[in-house]
Amino acid sequence: MGYGLSSGKGFIWISMPFISADGNENQKWWWGDIEATKKYCVDAVKEVCTKFGGDTSNIILVGFSRGAIAVNYIGLHDDEISHLWKAFIVNSHYDGLKTWDYPNSEKTYALERLKRLNGRPQFICSEGQGTAKSKNYLDQSGIQGNFTFMNIPVRNHTNTWTLYDLKERENIRTWLAETIKKN
């Protein structure tokens, strides 16, 4: 998604893993050790910004599928990590819509995480007509947010849509450029 959203210019992107409970490998299912994953994430963002000139005031957290759930589950997990992000892009799935088989996936906990948005923008997109459930959930949540919704004209569960010359890709790139320009 990083390449498709940026067209390979003017951005640094990091694909970060979830850290296993033993701390020795990437977690292949759900989150592993949440504290280790958060620490890795915070440290990686700081290191990359320092070494490669990243702008710490313009960090956008992007996730697809399990990563889309992680945008809120990990990215808004607590005050330590949530302050890193200027904005969020969530592609396919949304934290709190469904109870999954990991701790604190229920709506009550998801809404607590969502409160840490503090007005920062989220771009929520999904294949087909998938954003309707997320929009309904957020409308009913009572959380006041800066949410943008977009359905993607693909049938398959894939993040490769950002590589194609679609009106929707231009829409998300425009949103991203405008978001980064705002102070």
Side-chain angles (χ1 to χ4, degrees):
M1 284 192 75
Y3 182 80
L5 293 172
S6 70
S7 51
K9 300 174 192 160
F11 287 82
I12 300 170
W13 68 86
I14 311 168
S15 295
M16 292 185 274
F18 305 105
I19 308 299
S20 65
D22 66 7
N24 293 322
E25 60 187 16
N26 294 349
Q27 179 69 25
K28 295 181 178 117
W29 189 250
W30 296 122
W31 320 119
D33 184 318
I34 293 171
E35 291 303 315
T37 296
K38 283 181 1 193
K39 182 176 179 353
Y40 183 93
C41 185
V42 169
D43 291 348
V45 167
K46 287 178 185 174
E47 181 177 352
V48 167
C49 287
T50 299
K51 285 186 176 179
F52 301 103
D55 180 353
T56 58
S57 68
N58 273 316
I59 308 294
I60 312 296
L61 183 58
V62 179
F64 168 73
S65 195
R66 172 174 64 144
I69 298 168
V71 165
N72 290 358
Y73 190 80
I74 301 292
L76 296 174
H77 196 77
D78 58 29
D79 293 334
E80 177 187 8
I81 193 168
S82 66
H83 71 82
L84 287 177
W85 322 113
K86 181 175 190 172
F88 309 82
I89 297 174
V90 182
N91 183 187
S92 294
H93 298 311
Y94 198 84
D95 182 34
L97 278 182
K98 174 181 174 179
T99 299
W100 298 89
D101 62 347
Y102 56 83
N104 303 323
S105 70
E106 299 86 356
K107 183 188 270 188
T108 304
Y109 297 103
L111 291 174
E112 285 303 309
R113 291 186 287 274
L114 199 54
K115 289 177 184 175
R116 294 188 188 98
L117 270 178
N118 293 324
R120 289 173 289 172
Q122 277 197 341
F123 193 103
I124 301 162
C125 53
S126 189
E127 57 273 359
Q129 299 299 310
T131 60
K133 287 181 183 176
S134 297
K135 183 173 183 346
N136 186 48
Y137 166 72
L138 290 167
D139 287 346
Q140 292 179 9
S141 74
I143 303 289
Q144 298 299 310
N146 182 355
F147 302 109
T148 301
F149 299 91
M150 182 178 72
N151 292 314
I152 303 163
V154 295
R155 291 183 299 172
N156 299 327
H157 185 66
T158 179
N159 62 357
T160 61
W161 67 271
T162 62
L163 302 176
Y164 300 104
D165 186 17
L166 300 170
K167 170 185 65 144
E168 290 77 9
R169 182 181 71 178
E170 286 310 308
N171 291 346
I172 198 167
R173 284 180 176 175
T174 298
W175 178 91
L176 185 57
E178 290 171 356
T179 299
I180 287 171
K181 286 180 187 175
K182 293 178 182 169
N183 289 334

